[in-house]
Amino acid sequence: MNFRSCLVKTALALLIPFGVLAEEPESLPCAPDCRGADLAGAVLTNLNLNRVNLVDADFTDATLNGVSLVGADLTGATLFCTTLIDTDLTAATLIRANLQKIDLSGKDGRPPVLIRADLTGADLSHANLNGADLRSADLSYTTMESAYLGSAILTGAVMVDIRGCDDSLRLPDCYLD
């Protein structure tokens, strides 16, 4: 599915202004199916893509600024070299996602929110997670070769069997409990 038809379909289906979240997730309308959407190189600003099915979508070299992806399914998505600024990925599913060289630092803005995000089996090699909010996120079985986690908030995060955590994994100033 191409980028334009996916976004039009999403906007028509959600009909929720950006930044307004329903009290109960059940009250949100059904989100469209944008599996395999080609969003490579896209610049997305202030979009509401909450609960959208973006399984296997390609966000290579994309910039997401102010995008809300709360509860979105990004299983197997490619976010290689993607920049996320002021992006909300709370409770998003990123299982087996390719997040290599992703910039989650929020440079020139706030770092993205990944509270309760499921990153099981994701590849975060060479990722910049400086300041990222990963509270209660599941990072089990992720690959973090040369990942930078300076000032990342990891309170309550599950970090079972992390791969690539030799001397290259840097955790300065991380908030751990």
Side-chain angles (χ1 to χ4, degrees), residues 39-44 58-64 79-84:
L39 301 159
V43 177
L44 307 177
D58 184 2
F59 288 91
T60 301
D61 291 319
T63 299
L64 282 66
L79 289 98
F80 182 81
C81 289
T82 299
T83 299
L84 301 163

Side-chain angles (χ1 to χ4, degrees), residues 55-127:
V55 171
D56 296 325
D58 184 2
F59 288 91
T60 301
D61 291 319
T63 299
L64 282 66
N65 189 356
V67 175
S68 184
L69 288 155
V70 174
D73 190 350
L74 293 145
T75 299
T78 300
L79 289 98
F80 182 81
C81 289
T82 299
T83 299
L84 301 163
I85 300 169
D86 292 337
T87 300
D88 192 347
L89 288 150
T90 297
T93 302
L94 293 147
I95 296 171
R96 296 180 312 280
N98 179 350
L99 303 165
Q100 293 180 53
K101 296 186 179 181
I102 193 168
D103 187 354
L104 297 172
S105 69
K107 65 181 178 186
D108 302 324
R110 290 179 302 186
V113 177
L114 290 123
I115 297 170
R116 296 184 323 276
D118 188 349
L119 293 139
T120 304
D123 190 344
L124 289 156
S125 297
H126 306 281

Side-chain angles (χ1 to χ4, degrees), residues 124-149:
L124 289 156
S125 297
H126 306 281
N128 182 358
L129 293 107
N130 185 39
D133 190 345
L134 292 154
R135 284 178 285 162
S136 300
D138 190 347
L139 296 161
S140 298
Y141 310 105
T142 57
T143 301
M144 290 190 167
E145 181 181 334
S146 297
Y148 181 67
L149 293 156

Side-chain angles (χ1 to χ4, degrees), residues 153-175:
I153 302 169
L154 296 163
T155 305
V158 178
M159 299 177 78
V160 175
D161 197 18
I162 304 295
R163 294 175 179 96
C165 279
D166 54 9
D167 293 337
S168 66
L169 186 67
R170 300 178 298 277
L171 296 165
D173 303 319
C174 286
Y175 302 98

